Amino acid sequence: MPDLPATHPEALRALLARTLAGREDATAAVVCLCAAWCGTCRDFQPGFERAASAHPQAVFRWLDIEDEAHALGDLDIETFPTLVIGGADGVPRFAGPVPPQPGQIARLLQALGL
């Protein structure tokens, strides 16, 4: 999993578990780790929201790393936007920075079989 500390897979699992909580019908979780001060993140957000609408079977979460620092656990994010994608089982399937193009989300979900 690029860009995220490989020594903290439990933090990724915990993040996905919190995202999936209460959504037994979900097939996947997509978490965008961002920051309010990041212009690239702000530009990416509308496309992220469109991707969420296009994939109602998945749980999408926009997580500002400063406003919700407690949700990150031991993760240290340096590149924005960073996506964390996991299956319904909460197992991380992708974690890393992506080009700020909303189409990337659909391609990743398809490539991961989610």
Side-chain angles (χ1 to χ4, degrees):
M1 289 179 240
D3 199 57
L4 295 178
T7 57
H8 297 295
E10 67 281 354
L12 290 173
R13 284 180 177 268
L15 174 63
L16 290 169
R18 285 190 298 276
T19 301
L20 289 163
R23 287 292 311 269
E24 290 76 22
D25 62 327
T27 59
V30 180
V31 182
C32 184
L33 304 174
C34 58
W37 51 261
C38 174
T40 302
C41 294
R42 286 193 305 271
D43 292 345
F44 184 60
Q45 189 171 12
F48 182 83
E49 292 169 356
R50 283 191 301 276
S53 293
H55 297 89
Q57 75 283 6
V59 178
F60 280 67
R61 180 177 183 188
W62 187 263
L63 193 151
D64 186 304
I65 66 158
E66 292 175 347
D67 291 345
E68 297 183 72
H70 63 280
L72 292 177
D74 292 330
L75 297 177
D76 185 28
I77 308 305
E78 296 178 9
T79 305
F80 301 103
T82 290
L83 291 181
V84 177
I85 300 174
D89 57 3
V91 174
R93 303 266 181 13
F94 176 86
V98 294
Q101 303 161 345
Q104 288 291 99
I105 298 168
R107 284 189 288 277
L108 280 167
L109 287 171
Q110 183 178 12
L112 297 169
L114 301 170

